Amino acid sequence: DAGVIQSPRHEVTEMGQEVTLRCKPISGHNSLFWYRQTMMRGLELLIYFNNNVPIDDSGMPEDRFSAKMPNASFSTLKIQPSEPRDSAVYFCASRGGRSYNEQFFGPGTRLTVL
Amino acid sequence: AQSVTQLGSHVSVSEGALVLLRCNYSSSVPPYLFWYVQYPNQGLQLLLKYTTGATLVKGINGFEAEFKKSETSFHLTKPSAHMSDAAEYFCAVSAPMEYGNKLVFGAGTILRVKS
């Protein structure tokens, strides 16, 4: 199993640009989570999906952030327009139906907004 | 509501010494408990988990943790630290029947191992 796949691994962009982060969950998993990790705020849950449907987006910081899951094998997190304070590592995680809520994390995307 | 408290944002031990990372949780229902490890520039990896049954659970790399309901604790231990154990460790709790699929994470503890 390839595990959770995230792309790109690193992204450097300028303030105001649109950024799209991508995630492929583990095959057969029905829940997908997007997290953000910073030194100041630690690990924060942004949004999660069950069966491709967004369940809880209360962690999404503001309207500049949006997430989609068009099918069971792909999700995107978009920031438009990006700001320097969005610089962080963004993790995607997935969960299967009988795993006691154990989540499997991807390697993360390190985003730097200049 | 669920919450997780990890005592000590940084812990330093000598190589070969006991590792003890503390985690206390609050939950109104029997929880599932997890420890994850994050090595530099990597994602989180599951070390061990408690779901039901035996309260002492063993994980990878020689780590173990004990669920103590009376103390609402799930401390992580390893008898002898190795240099490769240097990483950040996260305790997490979930109660799926009441709170759905989310994991609630503690703030993390950075473990430093001195030679």
Side-chain angles (χ1 to χ4, degrees), chain B residues 2-78:
Chain B
Q2 297 170 301
S3 70
V4 179
T5 302
Q6 292 184 237
L7 295 177
S9 59
H10 292 78
V11 170
S12 183
V13 301
S14 297
E15 191 173 21
L18 171 72
V19 176
L20 171 60
L21 304 182
R22 299 178 187 274
C23 173
N24 288 88
Y25 68 92
S26 66
S27 176
S28 57
V29 298
Y32 299 144
L33 297 159
F34 306 82
W35 275 100
Y36 282 83
V37 60
Q38 184 180 28
Y39 299 103
N41 300 314
Q42 295 186 27
L44 279 69
Q45 176 186 0
L46 183 71
L47 264 182
L48 50 78
K49 63 184 177 188
Y50 167 78
T51 55
T52 58
T55 56
L56 181 64
V57 292
K58 297 185 184 297
I60 61 173
N61 302 336
F63 284 92
E64 61 183 36
E66 186 171 11
F67 168 55
K68 292 187 176 180
K69 183 178 179 181
S70 61
E71 298 178 6
T72 60
S73 69
F74 191 57
H75 302 331
L76 182 70
T77 60
K78 181 174 181 178

Side-chain angles (χ1 to χ4, degrees), chain A residues 37 50 56 100-103, chain B residues 34 36 38 49 101-102:
Chain A
Q37 187 178 38
N50 268 5
D56 184 350
Y100 299 100
N101 277 358
E102 173 185 346
Q103 295 180 17
Chain B
F34 306 82
Y36 282 83
Q38 184 180 28
K49 63 184 177 188
N101 293 341
K102 291 194 288 188

